[in-house]
Structure formats: structure tokens, C-alpha cells
Amino acid sequence: MVSEVKRTIEINPVSRIEGHGKVTIQLDEAGNVVDAKFHITQFRGFEKFCEGRVFWEMPVITPRICGICPVSHHLASAKACDAILGVELTRPAKLLRELMHMGQTIQSHALHFFHLASPDLLLGMDADPAKRNVIGLIAENPELATKGVKLRSFGQTIIQSLGGKKIHPIGAVPGGMNTALSATDRDHFLKQIDWAIADTQIAIDIIKSYYDKDKDFVCTCASFPTGYLGLVDENNNLELYDGKLRLLDSKGKVLEDQFEPSNYLDIIREHVEDWSYLKFPFYKKMGYPKGIYRTGPLGRLNVSDGISTRLANAELKNFKKLGNNGIVEGSLYYHYARLIELLYAIERTKQLLEDGDICSTDLIVTSNKYNEQGVGVIEAPRGTLFHHYWADDTGKIIKVNLIVATGNNNAAMNKAVYSVAKEYIKNNKITEGILNRVEVAIRCYDPCLSCSTHALGQMPLAIHILSADGEIIREISS
Ligand code: MG
Ligand code: NI
């Protein structure tokens, strides 16, 4: 509701993101934006819960952080535990872990594009909010909605085959995997590759034609300079499961190259603000806020020189042309980057399934000597995910540090909210379509708020508009 004092906006909750959060937009006397923030207001302290448990349990405990990206936590955790054991995995175990990770990337990226993002792109930013959702999409384009369901299910079936369950997997264990891939499942998955690639290419055509149609908005919406962070392989190609960290500045200059992930504390620090429970990671050598960076699909493609699979690499070349020096800044290009990664994940799944070692049962290496610390880093669908455990000599966890994927983009999401609010809200003119554009900017990042607050389940996110005297004059929730 808009009251007499027309100076404060809250978006509450921001919808079609994973979990919920709150946006506050502060107006001045004239009704123009002076500040805007994306708040994470809940906190569950998962790092503390884990203290006192034995490290062997961590790959099963940490997926409970989130019902949306449990596989990412499961694998980052298993990698941290491998480091505590001080063992090098067998080749088949590494292949299976990566395959499970590809299943997670496929299901998460497909869900985001087809069901969370496409209603805005296909039905329009100003479409009736009652229809601008997945139900509206099913009514308008049932075939496309079905493709999303099928692709997501393909990824989930891979996870289920290797992890025992679709949601909270148990397949990865410290030192390897406890489940082998059957030849029957391998052959079944291989038969799905062609349609999965074809459907992803349809989605890529959709995003490209949307970019052509709405060029001005796409180029300018939440476009701003930051650094970029992601894992790369030894040739600086895109890497999601293993590899080294690469950090670029806003112009594409390499700041950290082939950086060992276990030393992440030497380059990353976290800034704290009293209005958010989610911290703000930044590049230590530049300080905060100059050193903020983006992760996730846009960040990863910006730091990658190439992609090791053919079709995705061809798309990457097109993507790089969208920016200067191959650096793409606009938040809406996250969608294209995400679909290029989806294509890569499917092509990579095929390579893994065709590997002669993929059905091997040589899956475990163990040790009874424990290191004091272990770091596990992977590229979760939303960005770089860090699990760092300290253990005593009996293997009991003394301390845990997690930097979740969404947290890396915290500062960028705040910048995105501010830039869109500032651009569109003038002289107290606030329409539903404008507030949706604020949500659209956040949704580009596919934030997982369950993860970022280490909470279980969902929490509400709202847009609140505040007057110059700090009163809430409008509150929107869905
Ligand atoms: Mg933390
Ligand atoms: Ni999550």
C-alpha cells in the first residue's frame, strides 16, 4: 500500500528465487532513490552446529544446509574430507564425483532458466504478475515448460544413480565413492544426450532472440564493473569440479592465476555489514569494496579462456563478443552464460559416460592419519563454494568455515538492486513493472538464500520502500 508519506519501498518477498529475501529501497524527499539494499536477515549458524562431529559425517551433514543445492555441499565437503585424509582419489572415483556434479549443474541450471527466469523473458517484465510465473508459462508455452521438466529430471536421475537419492545424496565419502555406476544406467544416460543438447540449444536461441528484442534494457540493466572469480583447468578452460582459482579485475587483467584453492584465505576476506547476516567476500589485496567480485556462470565464463567441449566452446566465443576484452558486465547475461554451462555439462556428461573407467569399482582410498585441516572447493551452480574444516587427531571437527556460492555475489546483488532502482524509480513513480525489474536483476544471480543463511527451508523476501524519515510506505510480497 502507498501511504501519505511516499518515500520507502520494500520488495517482500522477492519471488522466483531459491528461498526468499528482502529488498529495501530508500527514497529522498523528492521521491528519488538514495539507497537500496538486498537483505539477508536470518541466520542459522551451520558452521557452529558441525563442531564436535567427526569429519567422516560431514558429507552427509552439510547437504542439510540446503534442499536446493545439497549435491554441491556434499561434494565440496567430501573434497575437504579427502584433504583431511591426505589421499589422492582413484581416477574412477574422480570421474563419478564429476558426473554427479554435472547432474547437479544440469538440474539446477535447467530449473532456473525454464521455470524461474523465462516467465519474465517470454511473458514480459510488465506482464500481469498473476500470470508471470511458471503456471503462466505452462499456459503460454507448455512445450517449453515440459522441456525444462525433462532436462531437470535427467540431471536428477544421474544424481540419484550415484548418490542414492535425488535430494540429499550419500554417494561421495571421504576418500572416494561408495556407489559404482552400472552399465545399464550408463547406457540409459547416453541415450538422453542428443535430446538434452537439442533442448538446450532451443533455450539458447530463446535467450538470444530476447537479447535482440530488448537490447537497450539488456545492455544497461544492472551492468557495472567488478572482479570475477572461478575455477579453471590447467589450460584456463572452464572447470566446475576441480582445478585452480583464477581472479580477474574488471578490465580482464589477471590478478591471480592458477591459484591453489586450499590457500583461499590468502586472497579472500569477508566484510561484515550490520544489516545483513550474509558476509561480503572480497579480494584481499584490493580491500572492500574495491575488491568485490562476481562468481557463478557470468564470473566463470569471464575468467575462462575456453571450454573443453565443442558446442559450448563455440557459444563461449559468441558470449565473449558481448563485452570489451571478453569481459561481459551486464547482469542479464548471466542467463546466456548459464545456458552455455548447461550445454557444457551435458557434453561433459557424455565424455564421462564414454570413459572406459566410468563403471570401475576401484573407488576408495583411505588412511588412518588425519591432517589438521582440509579445504574443498567446487563450482556450485551459483558460484565458487568453499568448505574448510579443522580437525583434531581423532578426526573431531574443531572449526568450520564455509563461503557459500551466493555469498560471493552478495555485494554484486546489492549493486544490481541499487542500479535498477535508481534508473527506474523517479519522482515517487513506482509501478509493479519497475519493482519486478528490481527482482529480475536479483534473479539473474539465481541466489540460494537457504544456503546463504545456512537455513533449512524457505524464508520470506520482500520489497520495502522507505520514506526520507525511514517509514515503510509500501510493502510488496508474493
Ligand atoms: Mg562462513
Ligand atoms: Ni543452496
Side-chain angles (χ1 to χ4, degrees):
M1 294 302 290
V2 178
S3 78
E4 296 308 298
V5 197
K6 295 175 179 168
R7 290 175 215 116
T8 304
I9 312 174
E10 289 201 356
I11 300 187
N12 192 355
V14 172
S15 57
R16 279 183 286 130
I17 59 175
E18 302 285 14
H20 294 290
K22 185 175 95 173
V23 168
T24 308
I25 300 168
Q26 172 80 53
L27 305 184
D28 63 14
E29 300 285 341
N32 294 315
V33 174
V34 285
D35 195 13
K37 287 189 173 79
F38 178 50
H39 301 252
I40 309 288
T41 51
Q42 301 213 358
F43 181 63
R44 297 283 186 98
F46 218 91
E47 286 154 327
K48 277 278 163 213
F49 295 165
C50 295
E51 289 175 7
R53 309 300 294 249
V54 286
F55 79 89
W56 295 98
E57 297 179 298
M58 294 299 275
V60 187
I61 295 173
T62 55
R64 304 284 161 180
I65 289 170
C66 183
I68 296 148
C69 19
V71 180
S72 307
H73 289 291
H74 180 60
L75 292 173
S77 180
K79 286 181 76 176
C81 294
D82 301 338
I84 289 179
L85 280 178
V87 295
E88 176 73 21
L89 258 53
T90 66
R91 184 168 185 276
K94 273 191 202 163
L95 296 175
L96 285 187
R97 292 245 193 111
E98 188 181 350
L99 181 59
M100 194 198 291
H101 193 40
M102 293 304 110
Q104 163 74 345
T105 306
I106 293 168
Q107 75 88 10
S108 180
H109 281 4
L111 172 74
H112 187 266
F113 180 78
F114 287 92
H115 295 160
L116 304 179
S118 68
D120 297 312
L121 311 179
L122 294 174
L123 307 176
M125 307 283 165
D126 297 299
D128 176 1
K131 294 186 185 142
R132 199 184 54 220
N133 52 40
V134 70
I135 308 297
L137 183 74
I138 291 167
E140 184 88 2
N141 194 337
E143 212 183 307
L144 189 73
T146 309
K147 287 188 195 314
V149 171
K150 267 180 71 192
L151 263 172
R152 185 173 188 222
S153 164
F154 175 47
Q156 285 178 317
T157 320
I158 294 173
I159 296 166
Q160 188 168 26
S161 166
L162 300 174
K165 306 181 215 172
K166 277 186 202 168
I167 308 291
H168 293 295
I170 51 167
V173 291
M177 289 285 293
N178 67 12
T179 318
L181 178 69
S182 71
T184 315
D185 279 0
R186 176 197 60 196
D187 297 345
H188 170 72
F189 295 147
L190 274 170
K191 285 190 196 123
Q192 318 303 313
I193 299 292
D194 289 349
W195 69 255
I197 286 179
D199 285 0
T200 302
Q201 281 171 325
I202 289 170
I204 288 175
D205 289 343
I206 290 171
I207 196 71
K208 284 178 172 171
S209 68
Y210 167 71
Y211 288 161
D212 281 345
K213 220 171 51 201
D214 218 349
K215 229 173 210 148
D216 290 346
F217 178 64
V218 172
C219 293
T220 54
C221 173
S223 184
F224 45 80
T226 60
Y228 301 97
L229 176 78
L231 291 174
V232 288
D233 73 7
E234 63 279 11
N235 301 313
N236 291 323
N237 286 329
L238 176 71
E239 172 62 50
L240 299 179
Y241 175 71
D242 226 339
K244 299 287 197 297
L245 289 168
R246 197 172 202 221
L247 185 79
L248 303 190
D249 77 1
S250 61
K251 300 264 190 288
K253 190 179 138 209
V254 180
L255 299 171
E256 298 291 344
D257 212 5
Q258 295 289 325
F259 190 84
E260 176 53 47
S262 58
N263 297 331
Y264 74 104
L265 287 176
D266 292 342
I267 57 167
I268 294 167
R269 277 280 176 275
E270 291 178 284
H271 174 78
V272 177
E273 294 277 4
D274 58 9
W275 49 266
S276 179
Y277 275 121
L278 184 58
K279 291 176 190 169
F280 296 77
F282 61 95
Y283 179 47
K284 194 178 154 186
K285 292 174 194 168
M286 274 189 175
Y288 185 86
K290 213 173 157 227
I292 67 163
Y293 56 81
R294 282 185 274 183
T295 62
L298 186 92
R300 288 190 286 251
L301 295 199
N302 277 339
V303 303
S304 298
D305 292 343
I307 297 182
S308 62
T309 61
R310 189 174 60 86
L311 298 171
N313 194 47
E315 282 300 336
L316 178 70
K317 287 188 179 136
N318 295 328
F319 175 85
K320 296 269 179 193
K321 287 181 203 148
L322 295 168
N324 290 328
N325 267 340
I327 296 297
V328 182
E329 287 186 347
S331 296
L332 275 163
Y333 294 117
Y334 261 92
H335 297 300
Y336 185 24
R338 195 170 284 117
L339 291 173
I340 295 171
E341 288 192 341
L342 175 58
L343 194 54
Y344 163 72
I346 299 165
E347 290 185 286
R348 181 67 188 143
T349 295
K350 181 167 189 267
Q351 290 177 346
L352 290 164
L353 291 168
E354 285 173 343
D355 193 290
D357 278 344
I358 199 72
C359 291
S360 163
T361 53
D362 178 20
L363 298 177
I364 290 274
V365 183
T366 196
S367 160
N368 50 18
K369 273 220 315 259
Y370 308 147
N371 290 322
E372 287 172 356
Q373 294 182 39
V375 176
V377 181
I378 64 164
E379 286 297 334
R382 295 163 182 82
T384 319
L385 170 65
F386 300 82
H387 276 223
H388 187 177
Y389 311 150
W390 287 258
D392 68 13
D393 55 8
T394 68
K396 204 184 273 178
I397 297 282
I398 300 164
K399 188 179 154 190
V400 171
N401 187 35
L402 307 172
I403 300 179
V404 295
T406 292
N408 288 301
N409 285 329
N410 195 9
M413 287 188 292
N414 274 279
K415 263 177 146 5
V417 164
Y418 176 74
S419 78
V420 175
K422 182 100 187 146
E423 168 95 20
Y424 288 95
I425 299 173
K426 306 270 189 214
N427 309 319
N428 274 321
K429 189 178 153 272
I430 305 151
T431 64
E432 196 283 331
I434 291 175
L435 295 181
N436 185 49
R437 282 169 176 78
V438 172
E439 290 196 30
V440 161
I442 298 173
R443 237 173 350 252
C444 292
Y445 294 82
D446 188 17
C448 181
L449 300 185
S450 304
C451 263
S452 0
T453 61
H454 307 170
L456 304 168
Q458 301 218 322
M459 69 204 82
L461 188 141
I463 298 190
H464 286 187
I465 306 189
L466 305 178
S467 69
D469 11 312
E471 242 179 282
I472 296 178
I473 54 153
R474 185 156 166 189
E475 183 175 346
I476 295 175
S477 49
S478 45

